[in-house]
Amino acid sequence: MLNMTNNKNSLVWWGSFELVPGSSLERNIGPLRLLIEREYQEWRVSNTRQNAQTANNDAGQEEQAEDTVSERYIVQETDDPMHLMPVVADRSVVTEPLTPLNLTSGSEVTLYVSTPLWYRIEIGAKPIRLRDDYIVRSSDTWFGPSTREGELCYASKTEGRINLADVPHRAERAVTAVTVRNELDTVLQLTRLSIPAPLLALYVDSAGMLWTQDMTLVNRDETDFADLVLEKGDPKYASEPKLVSPSRTQNKQPRLIRAFGSIFRK
Amino acid sequence: MDNIGTYLLGLMEDPRVWTALRAVILLIAGFIIARLLGRLSLNLLEPHLDRHRAVLIQRLIFYVVLALFIVSVMHELGFHIGVLIGTAGILSVAIGFASQTSASNIISGLFLLGERPFVVGDIIKFNDITGEVLSIDLLSVKLRTFDNLYVRLPNEQLIKSATTTLTRFPIRRYDLLLGVAYKEDLVQVREILMQVAEDNPLCLEDPAGMFIFQGFADSALSIQFSVWAKRENFLQLRNTIAEDVKAAFDRNNIEIPFPHRTLYAGSRTEPFPVRISKSK
C-alpha cells in the first residue's frame, strides 16, 4: 500500500495524483487531516478534525478528542487521476479588524486580509467532482441592513496587516490584498469588511502561499455601499503567481457591493 | 316486442320528450364546456399568477358558465326567468342571514389572499397551533402540524386574531433562560457564555449574542442569553447551545441551582442539631 503524506512544513498540499487501487494519499491541511483511499471502483474520503471536547488518553492526560467522518464514492473508471485543489469559500466572508481601523479623508490603504478555504476533489479529465468541503468550519454571520434582509456569510477576524512581511503563511487560508480608498470628507471607520469570496480565483506564489486577485473598494458616500473593483490579472504583491483554481461564480458587471457594515456597530 | 316499439314511437312524437332531451343535452354540454373553459383559463393564468388565485378564477369561470347554461336549460324547459330571479332574490336574503359566517369566511379569505401575511409553505402559529400552511381556501386555511395532524382554521378567525408567521424573516433569535447560583461571578458567567456563542458555528457572530441580566430571583441570578441563527438552523442551535452551555458550566464549576428555601427562625438562630444514629 502506497501512502503519500505531505511534510508538515510544506504548504503546497494540492495537486494531481495517480493512485492505484489499494493506495492512499494523506494530507495535513491546517487542523484538518485528509485521507483519500483508492479501491477498485471506489474512492473513500476521510476527514479528521479535532472536536471541542477533551478526553483522557491512556496516560491519564487530557487530550483533544478527534472526529473522523468517512464517505465512499463509487466510480466507473479505475485509472483516472485524482485532482485535489483549494477553492474559495462558498459564501462571502465578513471580516472584522481586531483593532478598529480608521481611514482619514482622502487616504488609501492596502490591507492583507485572509479568508478561509475549501478543498475540492475531482476525478479524471471530465472532471467528475467527488467532494467540495470546508477545511475549517467558520462561524455563520449575517451581513445586511437589518435582520429582515441581507445574506448569510462566514465570520472572520483580521489583524488588518498593512505590511506584507507580517502576514503569516497558513495552508488553510488565502490572502487578499484589499485596497480601501476613502473619498469622503469624513473619517471612514472599518468596523466590518465583506469579501465576496465566491467571485475570487486562487493563485499560488513562489513560497507556496495562496492568494486571490486584488480588490479595490472605494467609499464614495455615507452608505455601506462601495464600488468594488476586482483587479484583472494576477495579484500584484505575490511573487510569480500561478493560477490554481478559478472563481466559483463570475462577476458579470462592475458592481456596487455592501462592503462596510455600520448598522451593528457596538 | 311490438308493444315496446309502439311505446317508443309514441314517445318520440311527444314534443315534451324532445324538450327534455334538449335540456339534458344542453346541461351535459354546459358542464363539459364549463369544465373546458375553466381548464383553459387555469393553463393561461398559471404562469402569471400564483396557484391559488389561478385556481380560484378557474372555479369562478366554471360556476359562472355552468350557471348560464342552467339558466338557458330552465328557459328551454319553460320556466320564466323573471319569476326565477324574484325567487332567487328572496332565497338569497334568507340564505344570506343563514350563512353569515360562511360569507364572513369567504370575505376574510379574499383579504388574506390580498394581504399575504403568509403563503402556502409558510409555517404559522395561531394560538397554540403551529403548522405548515397546506392551502389557503375559500373558507379556511389548512395546516399540517409537526406531528402530522390536519388542522382547519376558519379564515374569519385568522383575520380577527394575531397570527405569527415563523418563516417570514431569514434569521431568528433564541432566548436561553437560565439561572446561576448567587455565589457565581456574573462577569465570568458572561465571558463563558460569550465564548460558547463564539465557538458554536451555527450561532451568528453578527447580530452578536446578548447577555441580559433579568434579576435577583428567589433561588438564583436570573439571566437571559440571546443568540441568533439562520432560521433553518434554529432547532439545531437550540439543542447545541444548551449542550455547550451545560458543558462549559460544568468545566468551570458554575452552578445552576435547584430551588432553595432557607429556614430562619429569628435573629439569633442556633444551628440545627443533627444526630447521627447507628442502626442496631
Side-chain angles (χ1 to χ4, degrees):
Chain A
M1 191 135 69
L2 174 67
N3 280 343
M4 294 198 262
T5 314
N6 66 327
N7 183 358
K8 255 215 156 66
N9 292 327
S10 162
L11 285 162
V12 179
W13 46 268
W14 55 91
S16 291
F17 307 94
E18 302 272 353
L19 290 178
V20 295
S23 64
S24 68
L25 176 80
E26 188 172 322
R27 280 287 181 266
N28 291 303
I29 314 168
L32 168 71
R33 194 163 72 237
L34 186 64
L35 179 66
I36 305 169
E37 295 165 290
R38 181 82 172 94
E39 302 297 335
Y40 180 66
Q41 269 198 306
E42 179 186 331
W43 290 89
R44 186 194 293 258
V45 179
S46 304
N47 289 340
T48 304
R49 293 186 176 93
Q50 290 183 332
N51 70 20
Q53 293 168 350
T54 54
N56 284 328
N57 66 7
D58 294 333
Q61 297 158 330
E62 264 196 6
E63 65 173 14
Q64 207 72 24
E66 287 188 336
D67 279 333
T68 302
V69 178
S70 295
E71 274 189 38
R72 296 164 64 186
Y73 301 88
I74 307 298
V75 291
Q76 218 40 52
E77 302 300 322
T78 50
D79 52 6
D80 283 340
M82 186 266 294
H83 315 288
L84 174 65
M85 66 189 84
V87 279
V88 284
D90 63 337
R91 296 183 209 151
S92 293
V93 178
V94 177
T95 187
E96 194 176 323
L98 284 163
T99 314
L101 196 60
N102 295 294
L103 206 55
T104 54
S105 165
S107 55
E108 182 182 291
V109 71
T110 299
L111 297 169
Y112 298 101
V113 175
S114 71
T115 51
L117 290 175
W118 283 39
Y119 70 88
R120 185 181 282 169
I121 302 173
E122 286 179 341
I123 304 292
K126 205 174 174 181
I128 303 169
R129 187 172 299 179
L130 285 193
R131 203 178 172 85
D132 198 339
D133 200 9
Y134 57 81
I135 296 173
V136 176
R137 172 73 163 100
S138 304
S139 205
D140 288 348
T141 191
W142 190 248
F143 193 71
S146 73
T147 57
R148 287 178 293 154
E149 44 180 300
E151 60 170 342
L152 195 67
C153 301
Y154 290 123
S156 178
K157 296 258 194 300
T158 180
E159 294 278 355
R161 293 187 168 92
I162 54 179
N163 189 354
L164 183 52
D166 295 335
V167 178
H169 286 212
R170 277 182 293 193
E172 72 275 17
R173 294 182 83 93
V175 174
T176 309
V178 183
T179 304
V180 187
R181 197 160 69 235
N182 183 15
E183 287 187 356
L184 279 191
D185 292 333
T186 50
V187 168
L188 170 69
Q189 189 180 50
L190 290 181
T191 49
R192 211 161 274 104
L193 197 58
S194 167
I195 311 279
L199 295 177
L200 305 174
L202 278 180
Y203 298 81
V204 63
D205 69 8
S206 55
M209 195 159 88
L210 285 164
W211 290 78
T212 71
Q213 66 259 54
D214 302 333
M215 248 172 71
T216 306
L217 293 170
V218 183
N219 181 39
R220 293 218 168 87
D221 55 24
E222 297 285 324
T223 68
D224 294 340
F225 286 87
D227 288 327
L228 163 72
V229 177
L230 283 180
E231 307 294 342
K232 291 185 195 23
D234 306 338
K236 283 201 296 287
Y237 304 97
S239 64
E240 302 162 30
K242 291 191 194 57
L243 182 69
V244 170
S245 67
S247 58
R248 284 181 185 265
T249 56
Q250 297 301 313
N251 186 17
K252 292 187 184 67
Q253 66 250 7
R255 58 186 220 154
L256 213 56
I257 67 158
R258 183 178 296 279
F260 313 114
S262 53
I263 49 122
F264 294 128
R265 220 192 286 266
K266 293 183 190 81
Chain B
M1 252 330 236
D2 233 5
N3 283 339
I4 294 172
T6 325
Y7 178 66
L8 276 175
L9 268 172
L11 268 182
M12 277 170 62
E13 273 160 24
D14 189 347
R16 290 176 304 170
V17 173
W18 283 110
T19 317
L21 215 62
R22 268 206 304 277
V24 167
I25 291 172
L26 250 183
L27 201 61
I28 294 173
F31 188 75
I32 293 172
I33 291 174
R35 261 304 265 271
L36 277 173
L37 279 177
R39 210 51 84 67
L40 186 71
S41 69
L42 184 67
N43 289 338
L44 282 175
L45 288 170
E46 193 142 27
H48 306 291
L49 289 178
D50 68 78
R51 175 106 194 137
H52 259 94
R53 298 183 200 197
V55 168
L56 214 61
I57 292 175
Q58 178 213 11
R59 286 197 191 151
L60 199 68
I61 290 178
F62 173 74
Y63 283 118
V64 163
V65 171
L66 193 62
L68 285 174
F69 269 92
I70 288 175
V71 165
S72 74
V73 162
M74 301 285 221
H75 185 73
E76 186 69 34
L77 290 175
F79 292 101
H80 290 289
I81 305 289
V83 173
L84 276 176
I85 288 178
T87 321
I90 296 170
L91 262 177
S92 53
V93 170
I95 292 175
F97 272 110
S99 64
Q100 266 175 44
T101 324
S102 303
S104 165
N105 276 319
I106 292 174
I107 307 235
S108 304
L110 292 172
F111 277 123
L112 272 178
L113 277 177
E115 203 182 272
R116 306 194 102 201
F118 50 82
V119 295
V120 172
D122 273 337
I123 297 173
I124 64 169
K125 188 165 115 155
F126 180 73
N127 292 342
D128 55 352
I129 303 169
T130 309
E132 179 198 341
V133 176
L134 294 175
S135 61
I136 305 173
D137 296 330
L138 218 52
L139 294 173
S140 63
V141 167
K142 313 291 194 304
L143 293 186
R144 181 194 75 87
T145 61
F146 290 134
D147 48 354
N148 227 28
L149 300 176
Y150 188 70
V151 177
R152 178 188 177 279
L153 293 174
N155 287 337
E156 189 188 26
Q157 286 190 4
L158 286 171
I159 286 277
K160 276 202 265 194
S161 324
T163 318
T164 313
T165 307
L166 300 176
T167 45
R168 176 67 131 210
F169 299 136
I171 58 177
R172 194 171 159 187
R173 192 179 86 177
Y174 172 57
D175 298 328
L176 176 66
L177 298 168
L178 62 146
V180 293
Y182 269 90
K183 67 175 171 67
E184 306 301 349
D185 177 10
L186 275 178
V187 173
Q188 188 199 11
V189 168
R190 185 181 190 282
E191 274 169 21
I192 293 170
L193 289 174
M194 288 304 185
Q195 189 59 46
V196 164
E198 200 177 306
D199 291 339
N200 189 319
L202 295 176
C203 188
L204 302 181
E205 299 291 318
D206 213 16
M210 268 198 301
F211 176 89
I212 302 168
F213 177 68
Q214 296 279 36
F216 295 104
D218 280 353
S219 307
L221 297 168
S222 185
I223 294 167
Q224 177 183 317
F225 186 52
S226 298
V227 288
W228 290 82
K230 188 155 178 277
R231 188 187 71 229
E232 287 82 356
N233 295 335
F234 181 73
L235 211 57
Q236 202 185 352
L237 172 80
R238 219 167 113 156
N239 290 330
T240 52
I241 272 284
E243 290 164 14
D244 295 345
V245 165
K246 181 73 172 59
F249 276 8
D250 288 345
R251 271 199 304 275
N252 290 282
N253 292 318
I254 307 276
E255 185 193 331
I256 302 177
F258 288 104
H260 282 56
R261 271 285 174 267
T262 312
L263 289 172
Y264 184 60
S267 59
R268 286 177 220 289
T269 309
E270 294 287 322
F272 284 84
V274 174
R275 189 173 33 197
I276 303 166
S277 61
K278 290 199 179 102
S279 54
K280 288 195 177 127

